[in-house]
Amino acid sequence: MGYMALKHTHLLLIVLSIGLFFLRFIATQCNARFIHAKPFKIAPHIIDTALLLSGISLIILVGYPLWPINWLTVKLLLVVAYIGCGIVAMKSSTKAIRWGAAAGALLCIAGILHLALSKSF
């Protein structure tokens, strides 16, 4: 896969991951029935795994170093934190923790977007 195809695949996976996260979070808060369907339970794992793999593939393809710590290293750590916050937001039994984790995911997304556009931290 060429660089541009991989980059566009990565961007599509970003949109799918964020969109599905917020759809699932709001649906969970509203007790929507459709959210319990198997595709909504499986898709986030597939999308987030593909997102990480496409990001790592881009790093390898471009040959950008992760050490010493730079904007890309921090961005990768924020992606992992976003996924972790998403898991807590979906699985916690406490409403305050769910909302706090969702806010944490949103902050991670904002940080990732800032780093992706500015390429500095």
Side-chain angles (χ1 to χ4, degrees), residues 3 7 10-11 14 18 51 58 64 70-76 78-79 107-121:
Y3 171 78
K7 180 180 176 182
H10 185 69
L11 293 172
I14 291 167
I18 294 169
L51 175 61
L58 281 168
Y64 202 89
N70 56 49
W71 67 272
L72 190 55
T73 310
V74 175
K75 183 179 163 191
L76 189 58
L78 282 172
V79 170
L107 287 173
C108 289
I109 292 166
I112 292 165
L113 181 61
H114 169 72
L115 291 171
L117 295 175
S118 71
K119 304 219 181 342
S120 66
F121 72 104

Side-chain angles (χ1 to χ4, degrees), residues 33-103:
R33 294 174 132 191
F34 74 89
I35 205 64
H36 299 294
K38 199 166 191 163
F40 284 101
K41 298 216 180 259
I42 296 171
H45 302 292
I46 295 169
I47 292 169
D48 289 342
T49 300
L51 175 61
L52 282 172
L53 290 174
S54 67
I56 291 168
S57 297
L58 281 168
I59 291 168
I60 292 168
L61 185 65
V62 173
Y64 202 89
L66 294 176
W67 191 262
I69 294 177
N70 56 49
W71 67 272
L72 190 55
T73 310
V74 175
K75 183 179 163 191
L76 189 58
L77 292 172
L78 282 172
V79 170
V80 172
Y82 158 70
I83 293 170
C85 285
I87 290 168
V88 173
M90 293 300 151
K91 296 198 182 253
S92 178
S93 59
T94 307
K95 187 174 184 174
I97 292 174
R98 281 195 313 262
W99 280 95

